Amino acid sequence: MKAIIFTSRYCPYCRYFERNVEKLREEIGIAFEVVDVDRNPELAERYDVTILPTLVIVENGEVVGGLMGYADYQTALEAIKEQISAFFQSNHEN
């Protein structure tokens, strides 16, 4: 499982969100990849990114959650943990 964060060097909110990536990585324990949409538009299109920043949680190539737009550290942390937990819970039930 990993989180892909789509940003742009022209997006001020992306800069704020990127500052939280290392803390989120340590707290959650999954891989985080920061992708500049200007340098990798194909990947942004693949994940249908229309708002920056966007965080997409992926497991085996499948989107299992994410956030669109800026979120402060605590909001992002809680949302990511909740989505990961829901994903594992639903897969454990099947």
Side-chain angles (χ1 to χ4, degrees), residues 15-27:
R15 297 288 145 283
Y16 294 124
F17 193 75
E18 285 180 31
R19 293 177 189 161
N20 294 320
V21 169
E22 190 59 39
K23 286 172 46 179
L24 290 168
R25 179 182 290 130
E26 291 171 8
E27 182 77 27

Side-chain angles (χ1 to χ4, degrees), residues 39-58:
R39 294 184 180 176
N40 199 336
E42 299 84 16
L43 189 60
E45 187 175 318
R46 176 177 164 199
Y47 287 102
D48 200 25
V49 174
T50 58
I51 295 172
L52 295 177
T54 289
L55 180 143
V56 179
I57 303 168
V58 180

Side-chain angles (χ1 to χ4, degrees), residues 1-6 17 21 24-25 28-35 43 47 54-59 64-67 80 83-84:
M1 180 170 288
K2 73 175 177 177
I4 306 170
I5 298 129
F6 292 93
F17 193 75
V21 169
L24 290 168
R25 179 182 290 130
I28 298 170
I30 65 171
F32 278 76
E33 177 183 354
V34 178
V35 174
L43 189 60
Y47 287 102
T54 289
L55 180 143
V56 179
I57 303 168
V58 180
E59 172 71 16
V64 299
L67 302 167
I80 295 166
Q83 291 175 24
I84 290 172

